[in-house]
Amino acid sequence: MTFQLACAANALEPEEVEALELNGIRLALVRDEDGSWHCLDDLCTHENVPLSDGDVEDGELECWKHGSAFDLRTGKPSCLPATKPVKVYPVKVEDGSVWVDVDRPINA
């Protein structure tokens, strides 16, 4: 696995999300309400709008446009209109930094 620096571990508060790009891939970096970190593709599979503009709640990232919510761990949508999952990427926190591996999605 090739982890790349995403941000400082104190960059996001719980229930916050930030857009970033690594290796040309648009990503949504998420800090869940319990403080855990997750990284998903940033585009909703329903209409290609940025998920990073959505809300984090109950372990999901909700698309702001039509309300599809994606599980932070699996990428699977929990409600319509989205029916396809988004990719989820491995994340680790080390030495005060958050690292993401975009080379090997967890759910590819």
Side-chain angles (χ1 to χ4, degrees):
M1 292 188 177
T2 307
F3 282 91
Q4 298 178 54
L5 179 63
C7 68
N10 62 359
L12 296 178
E13 294 295 321
E15 296 186 329
E16 286 188 342
V17 59
E18 179 178 303
L20 70 141
E21 188 172 314
L22 294 174
N23 285 6
I25 302 171
R26 292 177 54 174
L27 303 167
L29 186 64
V30 180
R31 192 154 187 204
D32 202 356
E33 59 195 353
D34 66 1
S36 61
W37 290 87
H38 306 275
C39 188
L40 302 86
D41 279 338
D42 190 24
L43 295 178
C44 179
T45 57
H46 170 245
E47 256 193 30
N48 291 325
V49 297
L51 290 174
S52 56
D53 291 336
D55 294 317
V56 180
E57 188 174 336
D58 296 328
E60 296 183 326
L61 179 55
E62 182 180 4
C63 180
W64 63 270
K65 190 161 186 180
H66 293 114
S68 290
F70 297 87
D71 185 285
L72 295 174
R73 288 173 176 77
T74 67
K76 293 179 182 177
S78 62
C79 58
L80 297 173
T83 58
K84 296 179 183 176
V86 293
K87 289 181 183 174
V88 176
Y89 301 91
V91 178
K92 68 179 180 178
V93 179
E94 201 171 75
D95 298 325
S97 297
V98 179
W99 301 80
V100 176
D101 182 357
V102 295
D103 295 329
R104 294 184 182 91
I106 294 169
N107 61 343

